[in-house]
Amino acid sequence: MATDGTTARTPVEMWFDPICPWAWMTSRWLMEAERLRDLDVTWSVMSLAVLNEHRDLDAAYRSLLDSAWGPVRVIVAAAEEHGPEVVKPLYDAMGTRIHPGRMTDLDRVVREALDEVGLPATLAGAAHHKTHDAALRRSHKRGISLVGTDVGTPIIAVEGVAFFGPVVTPAPKGEDAARLWDGCVLVAGTPGFYELKRTRTEHPIFT
């Protein structure tokens, strides 16, 4: 209990890359779980480009990752210059365009997202420069250090337990979202538990 007699909210942190559709699905679910389970979520960045920069990948995926630097760099730049409270609204604005909006011009995504949340248009320049890469790598490393390098985005940490996922589509709503949260915390917090997995048969469902 909190000292004022109210129920203390549980701190949670989620790491995301704005271009990852599965992280987007997880974030929509986590927003619902936050409302129903008294969670207090901090939103942090990681990078699929950083995660895969020394791996042998096919040309198409490498091209995607090369472009992926832009949005996450801009979020880091915005947070460093305007505070961490801008991370979530900027992620929402970018993700809505990239995922349900299916916009592929990421420079346009960045420009429109900055305008939507009222941030300076000059921040768009960060997409093509390494100025904020050290901060991006620190955030990425902090998340990956909790789960290991054989996973990707998203990562969630709660009360000393961290896990990759959940990978789910569509994003559960209402009590379904709350039950999924309870289950994730239960299995991830079980000593010696590492993995549940099955082949994905659906693409992300954004509606």
Side-chain angles (χ1 to χ4, degrees), residues 3-199:
T3 56
D4 62 0
T6 61
T7 301
R9 296 177 68 84
T10 301
V12 177
E13 188 167 6
M14 175 176 159
W15 283 262
F16 66 90
D17 185 315
I19 73 154
C20 178
W22 295 107
W24 179 254
M25 301 305 301
T26 302
S27 71
R28 302 308 96 178
W29 157 73
L30 188 56
M31 291 164 57
E32 187 80 348
E34 181 179 26
R35 180 177 66 85
L36 296 168
R37 286 295 185 262
D38 290 323
L39 310 179
D40 188 4
V41 182
T42 298
W43 303 87
S44 300
V45 294
M46 61 183 296
S47 171
L48 290 172
V50 172
L51 184 68
N52 291 283
E53 63 182 340
H54 299 305
R55 295 178 179 175
D56 185 19
L57 305 173
D58 68 71
Y61 192 49
R62 175 58 64 193
S63 177
L64 173 65
L65 293 182
D66 288 345
S67 66
W69 285 100
V72 72
R73 279 172 167 167
V74 171
I75 291 177
V76 172
E80 290 202 315
E81 296 181 20
H82 298 274
E85 64 274 9
V86 305
V87 170
K88 179 57 162 50
L90 193 51
Y91 175 39
D92 290 343
M94 288 184 183
T96 298
R97 288 166 171 80
I98 294 169
H99 303 302
R102 301 188 184 279
M103 288 177 59
T104 57
D105 182 343
L106 295 182
D107 286 333
R108 178 184 170 191
V109 165
V110 164
R111 291 193 303 270
E112 291 187 4
L114 289 169
D115 182 64
E116 179 181 322
V117 302
L119 288 169
T122 52
L123 282 169
H128 302 286
H129 298 281
K130 297 181 178 181
T131 306
H132 299 276
D133 282 8
L136 168 57
R137 290 177 183 275
R138 285 194 299 270
S139 181
H140 175 90
K141 183 178 180 180
R142 191 165 58 84
I144 284 292
S145 69
L146 300 175
V147 293
T149 57
D150 57 343
V151 301
T153 173
I155 295 167
I156 292 175
V158 54
E159 297 185 328
V161 174
F163 52 90
F164 162 70
V167 175
V168 60
T169 189
K173 302 292 185 183
E175 193 56 30
D176 288 341
R179 284 196 298 268
L180 179 57
W181 172 259
D182 296 341
C184 286
V185 173
L186 173 64
V187 297
T190 300
F193 175 83
Y194 292 103
E195 187 172 1
L196 281 173
K197 190 171 184 179
R198 59 183 174 185
T199 300

